[in-house]
Amino acid sequence: GKVEEKEVVMVIHEHGKLQLKELVAQFRPLLPTKADRDEFMQLVKKVAKLTTDHGQKFVVLNEITLEEYKLAK
């Protein structure tokens, strides 16, 4: 069960801004190994930008992703 980029994008988009750990938790069943998790993080960094708010890490889709998936407002 590979994680599809589109799935990650849609989950983040649904929330607008999502805690990184919540995002990882949603996909954890599909990420059994460290290599899988590293690959997942690369994917997240490709489609989203990481921001820190009150010491918590959040992910927000980046402009390129919003355009590509036609999600831009």
Side-chain angles (χ1 to χ4, degrees), residues 2-72:
K2 291 293 279 176
V3 175
E4 296 290 327
E5 179 178 301
K6 188 180 168 76
E7 290 178 72
V8 177
V9 169
M10 290 331 246
V11 169
I12 299 171
H13 181 61
E14 257 173 55
H15 294 82
K17 176 175 160 184
L18 185 62
Q19 262 191 314
L20 180 59
K21 64 182 181 197
E22 286 180 26
L23 181 66
V24 173
Q26 284 211 343
F27 288 97
R28 188 166 305 262
L30 301 172
L31 309 170
T33 68
K34 184 177 186 318
D36 290 325
R37 289 190 291 277
D38 289 345
E39 202 176 309
F40 178 74
M41 280 313 299
Q42 290 303 319
L43 182 61
V44 171
K45 285 176 179 153
K46 179 180 173 247
V47 300
K49 43 184 189 270
L50 292 172
T51 60
T52 305
D53 193 5
H54 295 91
Q56 303 285 353
K57 281 194 176 130
F58 287 90
V59 288
V60 184
L61 292 177
N62 62 35
E63 297 303 319
I64 296 161
T65 304
L66 291 170
E67 288 292 321
E68 199 178 307
Y69 285 87
K70 310 271 186 281
L71 300 169

